Amino acid sequence: MAKAAFPNIAPIQYEGPLSKNPLAFKWYNPDEMIEGRSMKEHLRFSVVYWHTMCGDGSDMFGWGTWNRPWNNASKPLEQAKRRVPVFFEFCEKLGAPFFAFHDRDLAPHGSTLRQSNEYFDTIVNLVKAEMKRTGVRLLWGTAQNFAHPRYMHGAATSCNADAFAFAAAQVKKALEVTHELKGEGYVFWGGREGYSTLLNTDMKREMDHLGAFMHMAVDHKKKIGFKGPFYIEPKPKEPTKHQYDSDAAACLNFLRQYDLLEHFQLNIETNHAWLAGHTMEHELEVAGAAGALGSIDANMGDVFLGWDTDQFPTDLYLTARSMLSVMKFGGFTTGGVNFDAKLRRESFELDDMFHAHIAGMDAFARGLKIAAAIRQDGRLSDFVKNRYRSWDSGIGAKIEAGKVGFKELEKYALDLGEVSTNESGRQEQLEALINSFI
Ligand code: XUL
Ligand code: CO
């Protein structure tokens, strides 16, 4: 077995809220039961391979700062091999049950697609053995169809049919590997599926191509017998000016228009929701209302920075409200809380990898407990139910049952004289109610 990458770190344990040990969970107690399910089952935490193993702390103004001791191989394939046991040691010590990957962050680009596939297979064999050894499972896989210059105009929405073909080949392989590793799902994030200017763009044609691409993916999924869901991950911009999968509503509209809805759910990411000008709970509600809430990419942005900072989620209001929405729609089945989050450039020490994930896991565990307490208390849901009571009988019930039209409603309104039954929305009172659980 390879030398331990984190020799000074013991498996992270739950020590309770009073613990002052930074390398312990204060709230995440995997076996604690909440609403009949263990915390572990509710949250289904997942670590991402890309930020965790391939990130180096660089930003557009500066070089990397993280300088990981295992990133010292001269050849990319050798480098990729060294990362595998480190990653699984990390997940194991953290107690994370799942992980997620892109094809090209697990294994490097080869000089041909054939060689890339060979590299990928080599690393996947190592990953498989580590998954077996540790019991860590795959939440989802995906293809990185945005980093290479060939995808400069997009992948499935490129003006260049050769790029479309290349992207198809990459997704085919990534899907097969996800299936081989018994992945719970497969994600499509449209890295460059969008445009920089409409002056050079045939949007309708690009959208038709994207629809066709997704149908090919569905066909291939059936062919190989992969049973997990496909997820689309909305994001409104960055790197393009406009991404076609801009938010949950746009994704659902696309899926409906191209007759794909039954094959897809959504993977909602907090920082992407914020970039779209939405709250996370808005996006979760839109997805949930359509029966398409699949999984979440857990992170957060910075309200003062207008880009995708991918910070670890540590805001309790955010995690509590996210979990309220997730639980409202029945909780995760194949999905989970995937930390698509990266350390700050300044958090460059090795231990920070643990501190960041512990912070995120504890924030979500606490969010889960807060959400469960709010649900148990019932005042919030009672308030909402009561707010809509005019629809439970009388004219409201008739409208919902489709028994009246404009003619009957006009007669009703004429007889009514005025709407005198409005009541306060009590926003401030409800915000205080939430605060009383935090
Ligand atoms: C990019 C992003 C991706 C997807 C997977 O903003 O979130 O890493 O999660 O491709
Ligand atoms: Co993401």
Side-chain angles (χ1 to χ4, degrees):
M1 204 189 133
K3 205 163 130 268
F6 310 99
N8 303 326
I9 294 187
I12 308 301
Q13 306 290 339
Y14 171 72
E15 292 185 3
L18 297 180
S19 168
K20 294 203 164 48
N21 176 4
L23 289 170
F25 294 119
K26 322 293 180 302
W27 299 94
Y28 180 56
N29 185 12
D31 298 325
E32 187 175 327
M33 298 300 284
I34 290 173
E35 295 193 16
R37 254 176 125 182
S38 71
M39 271 197 176
K40 189 173 170 182
E41 287 169 310
H42 269 287
L43 294 164
R44 294 167 59 86
F45 286 127
S46 160
V47 179
V48 301
Y49 209 88
W50 50 101
H51 291 313
T52 313
M53 279 298 110
C54 309
D56 65 357
S58 56
D59 64 18
M60 59 283 223
F61 293 102
W63 305 339
T65 56
W66 298 350
N67 201 14
R68 302 295 187 227
W70 54 83
N71 281 346
N72 54 2
S74 55
K75 295 212 172 79
L77 185 61
E78 194 47 42
Q79 186 55 71
K81 285 182 186 169
R82 283 184 200 185
R83 284 182 181 137
V84 177
V86 176
F87 182 76
F88 284 92
E89 182 190 335
F90 177 72
C91 292
E92 206 182 8
K93 286 191 164 162
L94 187 65
F98 291 100
F99 78 108
F101 71 84
H102 293 95
D103 50 0
R104 298 295 179 266
D105 52 56
L106 216 51
H109 291 261
S111 49
T112 60
L113 179 61
R114 214 164 261 117
Q115 191 178 44
S116 296
N117 286 344
E118 282 164 19
Y119 286 174
F120 196 17
D121 284 336
T122 303
I123 302 298
V124 165
N125 278 332
L126 302 178
V127 166
K128 220 182 192 173
E130 285 292 290
M131 287 174 72
K132 196 159 176 239
R133 184 184 69 74
T134 59
V136 174
R137 289 151 66 198
L138 176 62
L139 190 68
W140 49 262
T142 189
Q144 190 213 62
N145 287 355
F146 46 89
H148 195 280
R150 75 174 70 91
Y151 297 125
M152 64 172 74
H153 300 297
T157 63
S158 175
C159 52
N160 185 344
D162 283 352
F164 182 104
F166 218 101
Q170 240 185 282
V171 168
K172 175 178 179 289
K173 178 74 181 166
L175 189 52
E176 288 162 5
V177 165
T178 300
H179 184 40
E180 188 185 340
L181 297 179
K182 300 191 171 58
E184 301 271 302
Y186 184 90
V187 161
F188 292 85
W189 171 60
R192 287 183 195 274
E193 313 296 23
Y195 60 81
S196 291
T197 173
L198 277 175
L199 290 173
N200 64 14
T201 302
D202 185 339
M203 191 196 276
K204 165 81 168 71
R205 207 164 179 186
E206 291 195 1
M207 298 298 285
D208 287 351
H209 295 163
L210 189 58
F213 191 94
M214 296 307 190
H215 274 289
M216 291 179 199
V218 169
D219 288 347
H220 194 63
K221 167 183 159 160
K222 286 185 189 154
K223 194 169 163 230
I224 63 176
F226 178 64
K227 296 279 183 292
F230 278 170
Y231 305 116
I232 292 197
E233 181 177 321
K235 184 175 181 180
K237 55 189 165 191
E238 196 189 81
T240 66
K241 172 202 186 79
H242 175 83
Q243 306 262 134
Y244 292 138
D245 300 330
S246 53
D247 65 2
C251 288
L252 291 168
N253 184 58
F254 164 80
L255 293 170
R256 226 171 248 124
Q257 186 173 347
Y258 289 94
D259 204 15
L260 286 158
L261 203 48
E262 63 174 303
H263 306 291
F264 282 79
Q265 300 172 9
L266 301 183
N267 179 41
I268 305 291
E269 176 164 331
T270 318
N271 209 160
H272 297 178
W274 293 9
L275 288 177
H278 302 310
T279 58
M280 179 61 167
E281 54 272 23
H282 167 90
E283 289 291 84
L284 293 172
E285 294 281 326
V286 172
L293 175 51
S295 197
I296 68 174
D297 267 13
N299 59 20
M300 63 183 193
D302 184 306
V303 284
F304 292 100
L305 297 175
W307 68 86
D308 198 8
T309 57
D310 280 343
Q311 290 167 224
F312 276 85
T314 51
D315 181 332
L316 294 182
Y317 291 85
L318 170 69
T319 59
R321 295 201 58 181
S322 298
M323 288 315 296
L324 260 182
S325 293
V326 167
M327 291 166 95
K328 173 173 163 185
F329 295 108
F332 296 119
T333 47
T334 52
V337 176
N338 178 53
F339 289 113
D340 191 358
K342 61 180 181 231
L343 291 164
R344 296 308 83 201
R345 177 177 167 74
E346 304 88 334
S347 305
F348 68 97
E349 294 181 28
L350 218 50
D351 290 5
D352 287 309
M353 289 172 63
F354 284 92
H355 293 310
H357 283 86
I358 291 169
M361 289 162 85
D362 262 348
F364 260 91
R366 211 166 159 191
L368 166 65
K369 294 191 92 163
I370 293 164
I374 292 169
R375 285 160 61 84
Q376 162 86 29
D377 171 82
R379 275 177 291 164
L380 184 65
S381 54
D382 286 351
F383 180 87
V384 176
K385 193 166 186 304
N386 187 51
R387 188 164 180 245
Y388 290 86
R389 70 186 183 281
S390 68
W391 297 89
D392 296 337
S393 60
I395 193 67
K398 282 186 189 154
I399 298 170
E400 282 197 350
K403 287 193 178 136
V404 290
F406 271 8
K407 191 164 154 266
E408 295 78 13
L409 291 174
E410 182 191 46
K411 180 175 182 318
Y412 180 84
L414 288 169
D415 294 346
L416 192 63
E418 190 44 87
V419 177
S420 56
T421 40
N422 273 329
E423 291 171 0
S424 169
R426 302 257 189 256
Q427 180 172 336
E428 299 81 356
Q429 187 197 326
L430 295 175
E431 285 168 352
L433 177 72
I434 299 283
N435 283 356
S436 70
F437 286 90
I438 291 184

